[in-house]
Amino acid sequence: MYRTAASRAKALKGILNRNLRASRYASSSAVATSSSSASGSSSWLSGGYSSALPSMDIPLTGVSLPPSLADHVEPSKLKITTLPNGLKIASEMSLNPAASIGLYVDCGSIYETPQFRGATHLLERMAFKSTLNRSHFRLVREIEAMGGNTSASASREQMGYTIDALKTYVPEMVEVLIDSVRNPAFLDWEVNEELRKVKVEIGEFATNPMGFLLEAVHSAGYSGALANPLYAPQSAITGLTGDVLEKFVSENYTAARMVLAASGVDHEELLKVVEPLLSDLPNVTRPAEPKSQYVGGDFRQHTGGEATHFALAFEVPGWNNETEAIIATVLQMLMGGGGSFSAGGPGKGMHSRLCKSLNVFSFYLHLNILNQHQQFQSCTAFTSVFNNTGLFGIYGCTSPDFASQGIELVATEMYGVAGGAVNQKHLDRAKAATKSAILMNLESRMIAAEDIGRQILTYGERKPVDHFLKTVDQLTLKDIADFTSKVITKPLTMASFGDVLNVPSYDSVSKRFR
């Protein structure tokens, strides 16, 4: 049986081989015939050469090539137009195929009265929801069709709404952006959904001790508008409704307090699209900024646990005193810091407009505190700079039994800087890090658009980046020492969280700086 099966298999194999050979020869001859009849039209597939195709060295007829880019391209100049109602439109061109457009409003939590407490926090979450002209679903689909990216941010002084997409969609980008900001529907179910998320966010805030203490030093250190919380207080959530948001927007989102800024958009093209959509905004006189006064103070919240978190802060000048605000930024770079197992740090907690959200190398605090005292889990310098005032401080996290010594070490380091402990190498390194952070941030289209909008809201113009870099270059060791000496004479703001039983009294720490 096996022998019969084997002979049949051998016969079948012979038949298959004969058929395959015949088809292979037939295919080869067919290819040869077709290649000769086609005059080599497909010979390039097999690496051959066809006399019917032109050489790659010969320019194609009827095709004009664009001029090549120069080795050095001058940056586009910023153009600003002020509409009759006071709204400013600013833009600069770039060679990037994409564009970023933002609408920035001089309206943050400092403008919240008790009736509107927490409104800016909720407005940030309600951005790009349903409008009077679009459902949220339609808005999302339109943004997706553009391949766009949207974001919104709320700070103590300003609100920002941004959209980013290819330049070919500039008219659509502008229309979606302005509709979202001017015509929000504030549907009850959308407001209630975002309020639930706000409650969760507030609940999780306690798990971020550094962020919690940065809020605490503002509420303890200031009286007036800057003491208003950036996050909606739990007690205010029940009072936040669509009607409250609508009233807040109608009172504060006025033409004189708005700037539409764009990066990568031709100014004339932008004007044609924006002017019809924003020229009818009411021309209301820009109100004076609500007053704030730095007073210093103490905040403590004992929650137990295995760590003590603390922050020591002092007042520094705001952006209206530009040189000293820049010194504060360089001082933050100089002090550096970070975690005990990380070399990154000065970007943590950095909220200045010069160097926003960028981690760079740490130095002074890492070298003198984190490397020498294992009880420290982290130690980081931070700044929070506003138009007319600001804060410079140091945040630390230690084991509870080391809290008193840890605060003393931080005070000693600040005294050392004021006393001239910094050498030229330290300063040069901090200045290089500051300039690097500025330039790398401005490589982002969205940050460039934000920089245009926020500077115009603050100064009425955009100062060139070289202006800031030159100020950084001109700083000396004496500038750093004199600035720090002046800062630590201001009233101390102190905040602590976690196991605070061993944190020394406010008066004893304050006397350390006198």
Side-chain angles (χ1 to χ4, degrees):
M1 181 176 66
Y2 295 115
R3 186 176 301 168
T4 303
S7 62
R8 288 178 179 174
K10 186 174 181 181
L12 180 61
K13 184 177 179 182
I15 294 171
L16 290 174
N17 285 339
R18 286 195 297 273
N19 290 340
L20 286 174
R21 285 193 210 101
S23 63
R24 185 180 298 120
Y25 297 149
S27 298
S28 300
S29 60
V31 170
T33 303
S34 63
S35 61
S36 62
S37 62
S39 302
S41 60
S42 60
S43 61
W44 61 273
L45 288 171
S46 57
Y49 173 76
S50 170
S51 58
L53 294 177
S55 170
M56 296 296 289
D57 297 331
I58 301 174
L60 296 175
T61 57
V63 177
S64 58
L65 297 176
S68 58
L69 293 178
D71 293 335
H72 175 71
V73 179
E74 290 291 334
S76 172
K77 291 184 178 180
L78 180 72
K79 295 182 180 180
I80 303 176
T81 298
T82 303
L83 300 183
N85 59 4
L87 187 142
K88 290 183 172 62
I89 302 170
S91 68
E92 64 178 8
M93 274 295 292
S94 72
L95 298 175
N96 199 299
S100 288
I101 305 173
L103 193 55
Y104 302 93
V105 190
D106 188 26
C107 171
S109 62
I110 64 172
Y111 292 92
E112 294 176 356
T113 61
Q115 175 189 1
F116 299 121
R117 192 74 73 222
T120 53
H121 184 192
L122 184 56
L123 281 173
E124 178 185 15
R125 301 201 65 93
M126 290 296 298
F128 300 100
K129 299 294 184 183
S130 297
T131 73
L132 300 179
N133 304 307
R134 292 175 170 87
S135 67
H136 182 224
F137 178 76
R138 177 184 168 187
L139 190 71
V140 170
R141 292 300 296 269
E142 288 187 18
I143 294 171
E144 286 179 343
M146 292 186 274
N149 178 38
T150 61
S151 65
S153 63
S155 66
R156 282 186 158 78
E157 292 181 315
Q158 297 161 354
M159 294 283 297
Y161 303 83
T162 309
I163 185 168
D164 185 84
L166 292 175
K167 290 180 180 179
T168 52
Y169 295 105
V170 164
E172 292 88 346
M173 292 165 63
V174 171
E175 208 277 328
V176 165
L177 175 66
I178 294 177
D179 187 35
S180 299
V181 178
R182 285 201 62 181
N183 308 307
F186 296 134
L187 301 177
D188 289 341
W189 68 270
E190 288 185 342
V191 173
N192 292 333
E193 181 184 4
E194 294 307 317
L195 280 173
R196 285 193 294 270
K197 294 178 182 179
V198 167
K199 291 179 182 178
V200 173
E201 189 176 356
I202 295 172
E204 294 175 346
F205 197 42
T207 63
N208 177 14
M210 183 174 180
F212 182 84
L213 289 181
L214 286 176
E215 277 294 292
V217 295
H218 286 85
S219 60
Y222 287 100
S223 67
L226 283 173
N228 291 347
L230 188 57
Y231 294 83
Q234 190 74 39
S235 59
I237 288 180
T238 56
L240 289 173
T241 64
D243 292 338
V244 170
L245 294 183
E246 187 174 351
K247 186 177 180 181
F248 183 80
V249 167
S250 64
E251 291 182 4
N252 292 280
Y253 283 37
T254 56
R257 297 167 66 178
M258 285 188 178
V259 173
L260 190 138
S263 175
V265 182
D266 178 74
H267 192 69
E268 298 304 320
E269 177 188 356
L270 187 65
L271 280 178
K272 291 178 183 178
V273 181
V274 173
E275 193 167 3
L277 298 173
L278 291 176
S279 58
D280 62 329
L281 271 173
N283 186 2
V284 180
T285 304
R286 186 171 178 172
E289 182 177 302
K291 292 185 178 181
S292 303
Q293 183 178 0
Y294 180 78
V295 293
D298 187 21
F299 172 90
R300 296 172 187 236
Q301 183 170 329
H302 181 72
T303 60
E306 300 179 354
T308 299
H309 305 268
F310 66 88
L312 307 180
F314 300 90
E315 184 187 26
V316 295
W319 288 111
N320 287 328
N321 187 340
E322 186 182 285
T323 300
E324 292 200 340
I326 293 175
I327 295 177
T329 305
V330 174
L331 179 61
Q332 178 194 356
M333 285 289 186
L334 178 71
M335 300 297 286
S340 56
F341 300 103
S342 170
K348 300 174 185 175
M350 183 180 301
H351 303 291
S352 74
R353 295 174 201 159
L354 280 178
C355 319
K356 188 177 179 181
S357 303
L358 185 69
N359 290 332
V360 292
F361 56 79
S362 60
F363 183 60
Y364 216 71
L365 295 176
H366 206 286
L367 180 66
N368 295 348
I369 291 183
L370 292 172
N371 283 357
Q372 299 185 25
H373 301 280
Q374 63 181 4
Q375 296 89 342
F376 267 93
Q377 297 177 22
S378 64
C379 191
T380 302
F382 64 88
T383 56
S384 185
V385 185
F386 308 105
N387 289 338
N388 300 308
T389 183
L391 293 173
F392 171 84
I394 295 177
Y395 158 82
C397 176
T398 73
S399 56
D401 58 345
F402 197 73
S404 180
Q405 297 96 310
I407 292 174
E408 174 65 25
L409 285 170
V410 168
T412 300
E413 290 304 319
M414 293 192 70
Y415 249 115
V417 174
V422 178
N423 59 37
Q424 191 62 47
K425 182 180 179 181
H426 299 160
L427 180 58
D428 290 343
R429 187 179 183 183
K431 287 159 67 173
T434 303
K435 293 190 294 182
S436 174
I438 295 171
L439 294 173
M440 283 192 289
N441 268 293
L442 291 177
E443 289 179 1
S444 164
R445 291 186 309 276
M446 297 186 79
I447 292 181
E450 180 184 355
D451 183 63
I452 294 170
R454 295 190 187 277
Q455 280 205 47
I456 292 175
L457 284 177
T458 301
Y459 300 121
E461 62 175 342
R462 188 198 188 192
K463 299 186 178 182
V465 64
D466 290 343
H467 171 77
F468 295 99
L469 299 180
K470 184 178 180 181
T471 303
V472 172
D473 281 330
Q474 291 174 343
L475 297 183
T476 65
L477 291 172
K478 186 176 185 301
D479 293 330
I480 296 294
D482 291 348
F483 176 79
T484 309
S485 299
K486 182 173 68 173
V487 164
I488 62 177
T489 61
K490 301 287 183 68
L492 169 70
T493 297
M494 181 175 171
S496 53
F497 174 82
D499 187 340
V500 301
L501 298 180
N502 293 324
V503 174
S505 68
Y506 174 83
D507 289 337
S508 64
V509 178
S510 183
K511 289 178 182 178
R512 180 69 178 81
F513 292 98
R514 293 174 186 168

